[in-house]
Amino acid sequence: SVLFFWTLISYRYGANMILSFVGAKPVERSTHFEIYNLVENLAITAGLPNPKVYIIDDESLNAFATGRNPKNGVICLTTGILKRLNKQELEAVIAHEMGHIANYDIRLELILVTVIGLVSMIGEILIRVRSGSDKKGGNIALVGLFIYLIGAPLLRLIRLALSRNREFLADATGAFYTRDPQALASALQNISKDSRIESADTFSSAAHLFIADPKAP
């Protein structure tokens, strides 16, 4: 029952946990009017509720979307991406993240993060079962080791495969919103040169959410 409630809590508050771990802070319209304007215009184009906007205080270029569904979607941007991309490139990145929200990728990713965390937790718990001379206890520990070493990594591989396909779909969706695929291509080229975010190291499970690898050198 403890694991069940932990799973529910992780799913319900997973987006907030991710934002907290990477040091993202909500911003106000009064201080970031242009960003809010871009986000709201794209939300209208996509026929979606306005997502909340969060900022990571980091000079690198990166972004991600999260939330359980479009109603509580969040788009998170670094300060670096706001400063170093032109308006068309920034709009393309936001449109890409809006595509993740529209396609419910944010829900899929949140479920995967929750399930992988749960599987890893179960594996660790079973591994710590003290076998001693108890054969049954030893077998349980072996099952836990298998889950931890095989089950969780396999789920991560599945998540990576799914994420790659969803990224392509978000690219297409974002280009449909902006009618400017070249702007996204230019933005991704600039982002790839400096996507490193140190705060993402504290929560490696969220790395796949970003538009570019936040752990890249």
Side-chain angles (χ1 to χ4, degrees):
S1 61
V2 173
L3 292 176
F4 174 74
F5 283 114
W6 171 250
T7 302
L8 288 180
I9 291 171
S10 296
Y11 177 68
R12 176 66 176 80
Y13 299 103
N16 291 334
M17 292 168 63
I18 291 169
L19 292 165
S20 177
F21 274 117
V22 299
K25 305 294 183 183
V27 296
E28 302 295 333
R29 179 192 299 272
S30 59
T31 57
H32 293 79
F33 177 77
E34 291 186 6
I35 301 306
Y36 264 92
N37 193 40
L38 284 176
V39 170
E40 289 180 355
N41 286 341
L42 286 167
I44 292 171
T45 300
L48 296 172
N50 292 329
K52 296 179 182 178
V53 181
Y54 276 67
I55 301 294
I56 299 175
D57 187 13
D58 194 296
E59 291 302 312
S60 63
L61 292 81
N62 224 318
F64 71 91
T66 189
R68 298 191 312 279
N69 52 54
K71 187 177 180 180
N72 52 46
V74 173
I75 290 179
C76 185
L77 306 160
T78 60
T79 52
I81 208 170
L82 299 179
K83 295 176 182 177
R84 297 162 61 185
L85 294 187
N86 63 39
K87 184 177 180 180
Q88 289 73 29
E89 291 170 337
L90 184 58
E91 182 181 43
V93 169
I94 294 172
H96 171 95
E97 300 305 334
M98 197 75 72
H100 281 307
I101 295 174
N103 298 329
Y104 280 79
D105 297 336
I106 54 174
R107 172 181 288 177
L108 175 62
E109 294 290 357
L110 198 56
I111 291 173
L112 287 172
V113 168
T114 300
V115 171
I116 291 172
L118 178 63
V119 169
S120 297
M121 184 186 300
I122 291 174
E124 289 183 15
I125 290 173
L126 294 180
I127 289 172
R128 291 174 183 177
V129 172
R130 297 198 176 275
S131 58
S133 59
D134 187 344
K135 184 178 180 180
K136 184 178 179 180
N139 290 337
I140 291 175
L142 287 175
V143 171
L145 187 63
F146 177 83
I147 292 174
Y148 187 77
L149 296 179
I150 305 297
L154 181 60
L155 283 173
R156 290 189 180 95
L157 288 176
I158 293 173
R159 183 184 68 189
L160 287 174
L162 288 173
S163 295
R164 186 174 295 121
N165 290 331
R166 305 311 291 183
E167 285 298 322
F168 289 139
L169 182 58
D171 287 344
T173 304
F176 175 75
Y177 292 156
T178 63
R179 301 293 196 276
D180 189 1
Q182 186 56 45
L184 179 59
S186 176
L188 291 174
Q189 185 176 19
N190 289 325
I191 291 170
S192 67
K193 297 175 184 177
D194 184 12
S195 61
R196 172 86 170 121
I197 301 178
E198 292 185 3
S199 62
D201 292 342
T202 62
F203 195 45
S204 59
S205 296
H208 69 285
L209 297 174
F210 287 83
I211 195 170
D213 186 359
K215 298 185 294 182

Coordinates of all heavy atoms in Angstrom, one line a residue, residues 44-116:
I44 N -3.2 29.6 -28.4 CA -4.4 29.8 -29.1 C -4.4 29.1 -30.5 O -5.3 28.5 -30.9 CB -4.6 31.4 -29.4 CG1 -4.9 32.1 -28.1 CG2 -5.7 31.6 -30.4 CD1 -4.8 33.6 -28.2
T45 N -3.2 29.1 -31.1 CA -3.0 28.4 -32.4 C -3.3 26.9 -32.2 O -3.9 26.3 -33.1 CB -1.6 28.7 -32.9 OG1 -1.4 30.1 -33.2 CG2 -1.4 27.9 -34.3
A46 N -2.8 26.4 -31.1 CA -2.9 24.9 -30.8 C -4.2 24.6 -30.3 O -4.5 23.4 -30.2 CB -1.8 24.5 -29.9
G47 N -5.0 25.5 -29.9 CA -6.3 25.2 -29.2 C -6.1 24.6 -27.8 O -6.9 23.8 -27.4
L48 N -5.1 25.1 -27.1 CA -4.8 24.6 -25.8 C -4.9 25.6 -24.7 O -4.9 26.8 -25.0 CB -3.4 24.1 -25.8 CG -3.0 22.9 -26.7 CD1 -1.5 22.7 -26.7 CD2 -3.7 21.6 -26.2
P49 N -5.2 25.2 -23.5 CA -5.1 26.2 -22.3 C -3.7 26.8 -22.3 O -2.7 26.1 -22.7 CB -5.4 25.3 -21.1 CG -6.0 24.1 -21.6 CD -5.5 23.9 -23.0
N50 N -3.6 28.0 -21.7 CA -2.3 28.6 -21.6 C -1.4 27.8 -20.5 O -1.8 27.7 -19.4 CB -2.4 30.0 -21.1 CG -3.0 30.9 -22.2 OD1 -2.8 30.7 -23.4 ND2 -3.7 31.9 -21.7
P51 N -0.3 27.3 -21.0 CA 0.6 26.6 -20.0 C 1.3 27.6 -19.1 O 1.4 28.8 -19.5 CB 1.6 25.8 -20.9 CG 1.6 26.6 -22.1 CD 0.3 27.2 -22.3
K52 N 1.6 27.2 -17.9 CA 2.4 28.0 -17.0 C 3.8 28.1 -17.6 O 4.3 27.2 -18.3 CB 2.5 27.4 -15.6 CG 1.1 27.4 -14.9 CD 1.2 26.8 -13.5 CE -0.2 26.7 -12.9 NZ -0.1 26.0 -11.5
V53 N 4.5 29.2 -17.2 CA 5.9 29.4 -17.7 C 6.8 29.4 -16.5 O 6.6 30.2 -15.5 CB 6.0 30.8 -18.5 CG1 7.4 30.9 -19.0 CG2 5.0 30.8 -19.6
Y54 N 7.9 28.6 -16.6 CA 8.9 28.5 -15.6 C 10.3 28.8 -16.2 O 10.5 28.6 -17.4 CB 9.0 27.1 -15.0 CG 8.0 26.9 -13.8 CD1 6.6 26.9 -14.1 CD2 8.4 26.7 -12.5 CE1 5.7 26.7 -13.1 CE2 7.5 26.5 -11.5 CZ 6.1 26.5 -11.8 OH 5.2 26.3 -10.8
I55 N 11.2 29.4 -15.4 CA 12.5 29.7 -15.9 C 13.6 29.1 -15.0 O 13.5 29.0 -13.8 CB 12.7 31.3 -15.8 CG1 11.7 32.0 -16.7 CG2 14.1 31.6 -16.3 CD1 11.8 31.7 -18.2
I56 N 14.6 28.5 -15.7 CA 15.8 28.0 -14.9 C 16.9 29.1 -15.1 O 17.2 29.4 -16.2 CB 16.3 26.7 -15.5 CG1 15.2 25.6 -15.4 CG2 17.5 26.2 -14.8 CD1 15.6 24.3 -16.0
D57 N 17.4 29.5 -14.0 CA 18.4 30.6 -14.1 C 19.8 29.9 -14.5 O 20.6 29.6 -13.6 CB 18.6 31.3 -12.7 CG 19.5 32.5 -12.7 OD1 19.8 32.9 -13.9 OD2 19.9 32.9 -11.7
D58 N 19.9 29.8 -15.8 CA 21.1 29.2 -16.3 C 21.4 29.7 -17.7 O 20.5 29.9 -18.5 CB 21.0 27.6 -16.4 CG 22.3 26.9 -16.6 OD1 22.9 27.1 -17.7 OD2 22.6 26.1 -15.8
E59 N 22.7 30.1 -18.0 CA 23.0 30.7 -19.2 C 23.1 29.8 -20.4 O 23.3 30.2 -21.5 CB 24.3 31.5 -19.1 CG 24.3 32.7 -18.1 CD 23.3 33.7 -18.6 OE1 23.3 34.1 -19.8 OE2 22.4 34.2 -17.8
S60 N 22.9 28.5 -20.2 CA 22.9 27.6 -21.3 C 21.5 27.7 -22.0 O 20.6 28.4 -21.6 CB 23.1 26.1 -20.8 OG 22.0 25.8 -19.9
L61 N 21.4 26.9 -23.1 CA 20.2 27.0 -23.9 C 19.5 25.6 -23.8 O 20.0 24.6 -24.3 CB 20.5 27.3 -25.4 CG 21.1 28.7 -25.8 CD1 22.6 28.7 -25.5 CD2 20.8 29.0 -27.2
N62 N 18.3 25.6 -23.2 CA 17.5 24.4 -23.1 C 16.1 24.7 -22.7 O 15.8 25.8 -22.3 CB 18.2 23.5 -22.1 CG 18.2 22.0 -22.6 OD1 17.3 21.5 -23.2 ND2 19.3 21.4 -22.4
A63 N 15.2 23.7 -22.9 CA 13.8 23.9 -22.6 C 13.2 22.5 -22.4 O 13.7 21.5 -22.9 CB 13.1 24.7 -23.7
F64 N 12.1 22.5 -21.7 CA 11.3 21.3 -21.7 C 9.8 21.6 -21.3 O 9.5 22.7 -20.8 CB 11.9 20.2 -20.7 CG 11.7 20.6 -19.2 CD1 10.6 20.2 -18.5 CD2 12.7 21.3 -18.6 CE1 10.5 20.5 -17.1 CE2 12.7 21.6 -17.2 CZ 11.5 21.2 -16.5
A65 N 8.9 20.6 -21.5 CA 7.6 20.7 -21.1 C 7.2 19.6 -20.1 O 7.8 18.5 -20.2 CB 6.6 20.7 -22.3
T66 N 6.3 19.8 -19.2 CA 5.9 18.8 -18.3 C 4.5 19.1 -17.8 O 3.9 20.1 -18.2 CB 6.9 18.7 -17.0 OG1 6.5 17.6 -16.3 CG2 6.8 20.0 -16.2
G67 N 3.9 18.2 -17.0 CA 2.6 18.3 -16.5 C 1.8 17.0 -16.8 O 2.3 16.1 -17.6
R68 N 0.7 16.8 -16.2 CA -0.1 15.6 -16.4 C -1.0 15.6 -17.6 O -1.3 14.6 -18.3 CB -1.0 15.3 -15.2 CG -0.3 15.1 -13.9 CD -1.3 14.6 -12.8 NE -2.5 15.3 -12.7 CZ -2.6 16.5 -12.1 NH1 -1.6 17.1 -11.5 NH2 -3.8 17.1 -12.0
N69 N -1.4 16.8 -18.0 CA -2.2 17.0 -19.2 C -2.2 18.5 -19.6 O -1.6 19.3 -18.9 CB -3.7 16.6 -18.9 CG -4.2 17.2 -17.6 OD1 -4.2 18.5 -17.5 ND2 -4.7 16.4 -16.7
P70 N -2.8 18.8 -20.8 CA -2.7 20.2 -21.2 C -3.3 21.2 -20.3 O -2.8 22.4 -20.2 CB -3.5 20.2 -22.5 CG -3.4 18.8 -23.0 CD -3.3 17.9 -21.8
K71 N -4.2 20.8 -19.4 CA -4.8 21.8 -18.5 C -3.8 22.3 -17.5 O -3.9 23.4 -17.0 CB -6.0 21.1 -17.8 CG -6.8 22.0 -16.9 CD -8.0 21.3 -16.3 CE -8.8 22.2 -15.4 NZ -10.0 21.5 -14.8
N72 N -2.9 21.4 -17.1 CA -1.9 21.9 -16.1 C -0.5 21.8 -16.7 O 0.5 21.5 -16.0 CB -1.9 21.1 -14.8 CG -1.9 19.6 -15.0 OD1 -1.1 19.1 -15.7 ND2 -2.8 18.9 -14.3
G73 N -0.4 22.0 -18.0 CA 0.9 22.0 -18.7 C 1.9 23.1 -18.3 O 1.4 24.2 -17.8
V74 N 3.1 22.8 -18.4 CA 4.2 23.8 -18.0 C 5.2 23.8 -19.1 O 5.7 22.7 -19.6 CB 4.9 23.4 -16.7 CG1 6.0 24.4 -16.4 CG2 3.8 23.5 -15.5
I75 N 5.7 25.0 -19.5 CA 6.8 25.1 -20.4 C 7.9 25.8 -19.6 O 7.7 26.9 -19.0 CB 6.5 25.9 -21.6 CG1 5.5 25.1 -22.5 CG2 7.7 26.3 -22.4 CD1 5.1 25.9 -23.8
C76 N 9.1 25.2 -19.6 CA 10.2 25.7 -18.8 C 11.4 26.0 -19.7 O 11.7 25.2 -20.6 CB 10.7 24.6 -17.8 SG 11.9 25.1 -16.7
L77 N 11.9 27.2 -19.6 CA 13.0 27.7 -20.4 C 14.1 28.2 -19.6 O 13.9 28.6 -18.4 CB 12.5 28.9 -21.3 CG 11.2 28.6 -22.1 CD1 10.6 30.0 -22.5 CD2 11.5 27.8 -23.4
T78 N 15.3 28.1 -20.1 CA 16.5 28.7 -19.4 C 16.6 30.2 -19.7 O 16.1 30.6 -20.7 CB 17.8 28.0 -19.8 OG1 18.0 28.2 -21.2 CG2 17.8 26.5 -19.5
T79 N 17.3 30.9 -18.8 CA 17.5 32.3 -19.1 C 18.4 32.5 -20.3 O 18.2 33.4 -21.1 CB 18.2 33.0 -17.9 OG1 19.3 32.3 -17.5 CG2 17.2 33.1 -16.7
G80 N 19.3 31.5 -20.5 CA 20.2 31.6 -21.7 C 19.4 31.5 -23.0 O 19.7 32.2 -24.0
I81 N 18.4 30.6 -23.1 CA 17.7 30.5 -24.3 C 16.8 31.7 -24.6 O 16.6 32.1 -25.8 CB 16.8 29.2 -24.3 CG1 16.6 28.7 -25.7 CG2 15.4 29.5 -23.6 CD1 15.9 27.3 -25.7
L82 N 16.4 32.4 -23.6 CA 15.7 33.7 -23.8 C 16.5 34.8 -24.3 O 16.1 35.6 -25.1 CB 15.0 34.1 -22.4 CG 14.0 33.1 -21.8 CD1 13.5 33.7 -20.5 CD2 12.9 32.9 -22.7
K83 N 17.8 34.8 -23.9 CA 18.7 35.8 -24.3 C 19.4 35.6 -25.6 O 19.6 36.6 -26.4 CB 19.8 36.0 -23.2 CG 19.3 36.4 -21.8 CD 20.5 36.5 -20.9 CE 20.1 36.9 -19.5 NZ 21.2 36.8 -18.5
R84 N 19.6 34.4 -26.0 CA 20.5 34.1 -27.1 C 19.9 33.6 -28.3 O 20.5 33.4 -29.4 CB 21.6 33.1 -26.6 CG 22.5 33.6 -25.5 CD 23.2 32.6 -24.7 NE 24.1 31.8 -25.5 CZ 24.8 30.7 -25.1 NH1 24.7 30.3 -23.8 NH2 25.6 30.1 -25.9
L85 N 18.6 33.3 -28.3 CA 17.9 33.0 -29.5 C 17.1 34.2 -30.0 O 16.6 35.0 -29.2 CB 16.9 31.8 -29.3 CG 17.5 30.4 -29.0 CD1 16.4 29.4 -28.9 CD2 18.6 30.0 -29.9
N86 N 16.9 34.3 -31.3 CA 16.1 35.4 -31.8 C 14.6 35.0 -31.6 O 14.3 33.9 -31.3 CB 16.4 35.8 -33.3 CG 16.1 34.6 -34.2 OD1 15.2 33.9 -34.1 ND2 17.0 34.5 -35.2
K87 N 13.7 36.0 -31.9 CA 12.3 35.7 -31.7 C 11.7 34.5 -32.4 O 11.0 33.7 -31.9 CB 11.5 37.0 -32.0 CG 10.0 36.9 -31.7 CD 9.3 38.2 -32.0 CE 7.8 38.1 -31.7 NZ 7.1 39.3 -31.9
Q88 N 12.1 34.4 -33.7 CA 11.6 33.3 -34.5 C 12.1 31.9 -33.9 O 11.3 31.0 -33.9 CB 12.1 33.4 -36.0 CG 11.4 34.6 -36.7 CD 11.9 35.9 -36.3 OE1 13.1 36.1 -35.9 NE2 11.0 36.9 -36.4
E89 N 13.4 31.9 -33.5 CA 13.9 30.6 -33.0 C 13.3 30.3 -31.7 O 12.9 29.1 -31.4 CB 15.4 30.8 -32.8 CG 16.2 30.9 -34.1 CD 17.7 31.2 -33.9 OE1 18.0 31.9 -32.9 OE2 18.5 30.9 -34.8
L90 N 13.1 31.3 -30.8 CA 12.4 31.1 -29.5 C 11.0 30.6 -29.7 O 10.5 29.7 -29.0 CB 12.5 32.4 -28.7 CG 11.9 32.3 -27.3 CD1 12.7 31.2 -26.5 CD2 12.1 33.6 -26.5
E91 N 10.3 31.2 -30.6 CA 8.9 30.8 -30.9 C 8.9 29.4 -31.4 O 8.0 28.6 -31.0 CB 8.3 31.8 -32.0 CG 6.9 31.4 -32.3 CD 6.3 32.3 -33.4 OE1 7.0 32.6 -34.4 OE2 5.2 32.8 -33.2
A92 N 9.8 29.0 -32.2 CA 9.9 27.6 -32.7 C 10.1 26.6 -31.5 O 9.5 25.5 -31.5 CB 11.0 27.5 -33.7
V93 N 11.0 27.0 -30.6 CA 11.2 26.1 -29.4 C 10.0 26.0 -28.6 O 9.6 24.9 -28.2 CB 12.4 26.6 -28.6 CG1 12.5 25.9 -27.3 CG2 13.7 26.5 -29.4
I94 N 9.3 27.1 -28.3 CA 8.1 27.0 -27.5 C 7.0 26.2 -28.3 O 6.3 25.5 -27.6 CB 7.6 28.5 -27.2 CG1 8.6 29.2 -26.3 CG2 6.2 28.4 -26.6 CD1 8.3 30.7 -26.2
A95 N 7.0 26.4 -29.6 CA 6.0 25.6 -30.4 C 6.3 24.1 -30.3 O 5.4 23.3 -30.2 CB 6.0 26.1 -31.8
H96 N 7.6 23.8 -30.3 CA 8.0 22.4 -30.1 C 7.5 21.8 -28.8 O 6.9 20.7 -28.7 CB 9.5 22.3 -30.2 CG 10.1 20.9 -29.9 ND1 10.3 20.0 -30.8 CD2 10.4 20.4 -28.7 CE1 10.8 18.9 -30.2 NE2 10.9 19.1 -28.9
E97 N 7.7 22.6 -27.7 CA 7.3 22.1 -26.4 C 5.7 22.1 -26.3 O 5.2 21.3 -25.6 CB 7.9 23.1 -25.3 CG 9.4 23.1 -25.3 CD 10.0 21.7 -25.1 OE1 9.3 20.8 -24.6 OE2 11.1 21.5 -25.6
M98 N 5.1 23.0 -27.0 CA 3.6 23.0 -27.1 C 3.1 21.8 -27.8 O 2.1 21.2 -27.4 CB 3.1 24.3 -27.8 CG 1.7 24.6 -27.6 SD 1.3 25.4 -25.9 CE 2.1 27.0 -26.2
G99 N 3.9 21.3 -28.7 CA 3.6 20.1 -29.4 C 3.6 18.9 -28.5 O 2.8 18.0 -28.5
H100 N 4.6 18.9 -27.5 CA 4.6 17.8 -26.5 C 3.4 17.8 -25.6 O 2.8 16.8 -25.3 CB 5.9 18.0 -25.6 CG 7.1 17.5 -26.3 ND1 7.2 16.2 -26.8 CD2 8.3 18.1 -26.4 CE1 8.5 16.0 -27.2 NE2 9.1 17.2 -27.1
I101 N 2.9 19.0 -25.3 CA 1.7 19.2 -24.5 C 0.5 18.7 -25.3 O -0.3 17.9 -24.8 CB 1.5 20.6 -24.0 CG1 2.7 21.0 -23.1 CG2 0.2 20.8 -23.3 CD1 2.7 22.5 -22.7
A102 N 0.4 19.2 -26.5 CA -0.8 18.8 -27.4 C -0.9 17.3 -27.6 O -2.0 16.8 -27.7 CB -0.7 19.6 -28.7
N103 N 0.3 16.7 -27.8 CA 0.3 15.3 -28.1 C 0.3 14.4 -26.9 O 0.4 13.2 -27.0 CB 1.6 14.9 -28.9 CG 1.6 15.7 -30.3 OD1 0.5 15.9 -30.8 ND2 2.8 16.0 -30.7
Y104 N 0.1 15.0 -25.7 CA 0.1 14.3 -24.4 C 1.4 13.5 -24.1 O 1.4 12.6 -23.4 CB -1.1 13.3 -24.4 CG -2.4 14.0 -24.0 CD1 -3.1 14.7 -25.0 CD2 -2.9 14.0 -22.7 CE1 -4.3 15.4 -24.7 CE2 -4.1 14.6 -22.4 CZ -4.8 15.3 -23.4 OH -6.0 16.0 -23.1
D105 N 2.5 14.0 -24.7 CA 3.8 13.4 -24.4 C 4.1 13.6 -22.9 O 4.8 12.8 -22.3 CB 4.9 14.0 -25.3 CG 4.7 13.7 -26.8 OD1 4.0 12.7 -27.1 OD2 5.2 14.4 -27.6
I106 N 3.7 14.8 -22.4 CA 4.0 15.1 -21.0 C 3.4 14.1 -20.1 O 4.0 13.7 -19.1 CB 3.5 16.5 -20.7 CG1 2.1 16.7 -21.0 CG2 4.4 17.6 -21.4 CD1 1.5 18.1 -20.5
R107 N 2.2 13.6 -20.4 CA 1.6 12.6 -19.5 C 2.4 11.3 -19.6 O 2.6 10.6 -18.6 CB 0.1 12.4 -19.9 CG -0.5 11.2 -19.2 CD -2.0 11.0 -19.6 NE -2.8 12.0 -19.0 CZ -4.1 12.1 -19.3 NH1 -4.7 11.3 -20.1 NH2 -4.8 13.1 -18.7
L108 N 2.7 10.9 -20.9 CA 3.4 9.6 -21.1 C 4.8 9.7 -20.4 O 5.1 8.7 -19.7 CB 3.6 9.4 -22.6 CG 4.5 8.2 -23.0 CD1 3.9 6.9 -22.6 CD2 4.7 8.2 -24.5
E109 N 5.5 10.8 -20.5 CA 6.8 10.9 -19.9 C 6.7 10.8 -18.3 O 7.5 10.2 -17.7 CB 7.5 12.1 -20.3 CG 7.9 12.2 -21.8 CD 9.0 11.2 -22.1 OE1 9.5 10.6 -21.2 OE2 9.4 11.1 -23.3
L110 N 5.6 11.5 -17.8 CA 5.5 11.5 -16.3 C 5.1 10.1 -15.8 O 5.6 9.7 -14.8 CB 4.3 12.5 -16.0 CG 4.3 12.9 -14.5 CD1 5.6 13.6 -14.1 CD2 3.1 13.9 -14.4
I111 N 4.3 9.4 -16.6 CA 4.0 8.0 -16.2 C 5.3 7.1 -16.3 O 5.5 6.3 -15.4 CB 2.9 7.4 -17.2 CG1 1.6 8.1 -16.9 CG2 2.8 5.9 -17.0 CD1 0.5 7.7 -17.9
L112 N 6.1 7.3 -17.3 CA 7.3 6.5 -17.4 C 8.3 6.8 -16.3 O 8.9 5.9 -15.7 CB 8.0 6.8 -18.8 CG 7.2 6.1 -20.0 CD1 7.9 6.6 -21.3 CD2 7.3 4.6 -19.9
V113 N 8.4 8.1 -16.0 CA 9.3 8.4 -14.9 C 8.8 7.8 -13.6 O 9.6 7.3 -12.8 CB 9.4 10.0 -14.7 CG1 10.1 10.3 -13.4 CG2 10.2 10.6 -15.9
T114 N 7.5 7.8 -13.4 CA 6.9 7.3 -12.1 C 7.1 5.8 -12.1 O 7.5 5.2 -11.1 CB 5.4 7.6 -12.1 OG1 5.2 9.0 -12.1 CG2 4.8 7.0 -10.8
V115 N 6.8 5.1 -13.2 CA 7.0 3.6 -13.2 C 8.4 3.2 -13.1 O 8.7 2.2 -12.3 CB 6.4 3.1 -14.6 CG1 6.7 1.6 -14.7 CG2 4.9 3.3 -14.6
I116 N 9.3 3.9 -13.7 CA 10.7 3.5 -13.6 C 11.2 3.7 -12.2 O 12.0 2.9 -11.6 CB 11.6 4.3 -14.6 CG1 11.3 3.9 -16.0 CG2 13.1 4.2 -14.3 CD1 11.9 4.7 -17.1

